[in-house]
Amino acid sequence: MIPSLRGWHNEYSDDGLVIIGNHYPEFSYEEDLDNLREALVTLDIPYAVAQDNDGATWQAYKNQYWPTLYLIDKQGHIRYVHIGEGRYAETEENIKALLLE
């Protein structure tokens, strides 16, 4: 999923797309901010990533699966949800449609 997110960031950020990753650690070493920063550099992630050590954001969205992608419109409404990998063309079409609104 990261290559697609990176591509969408590069392609659509000037048009208003804002990607925010949510890092909810699975292992204790992933809770360390320096380890997260290193992973972002290693994985060449150009978009913002929030560290969610206590799972507050994960739980607020009632998320149960990883990865889950949410497209949220300018008014803050969830307009599209995709669980798992795949459906990249469908997701991109939804991104473009929301950016036109």
Side-chain angles (χ1 to χ4, degrees):
M1 181 166 270
I2 290 172
S4 293
L5 292 170
R6 184 185 309 113
W8 295 329
H9 169 81
N10 293 337
E11 180 74 21
Y12 301 111
S13 62
D14 288 344
D15 297 326
L17 178 67
V18 176
I19 296 176
I20 302 171
N22 185 65
H23 175 68
Y24 182 30
E26 184 176 1
F27 304 105
S28 60
Y29 71 88
E30 294 176 335
E31 294 176 2
D32 184 274
L33 182 58
D34 288 332
N35 290 341
L36 175 57
R37 286 180 177 141
E38 183 179 326
L40 296 176
V41 170
T42 300
L43 296 170
D44 188 29
I45 295 178
Y47 48 85
V49 175
Q51 188 170 19
D52 188 21
N53 283 350
D54 60 1
T57 302
W58 179 276
Q59 293 165 15
Y61 282 84
K62 297 178 178 52
N63 201 30
Q64 297 180 23
Y65 307 101
W66 181 91
T68 300
L69 185 137
Y70 299 90
L71 295 183
I72 302 170
D73 68 17
K74 294 174 185 176
Q75 289 74 39
H77 301 282
I78 297 173
R79 300 280 296 275
Y80 175 84
V81 177
H82 177 68
I83 296 169
E85 296 189 29
R87 294 195 176 168
Y88 299 114
E90 176 183 305
T91 300
E92 186 168 6
E93 290 305 312
N94 280 276
I95 290 168
K96 290 193 249 183
L98 285 172
L99 289 172
L100 290 174
E101 291 184 3

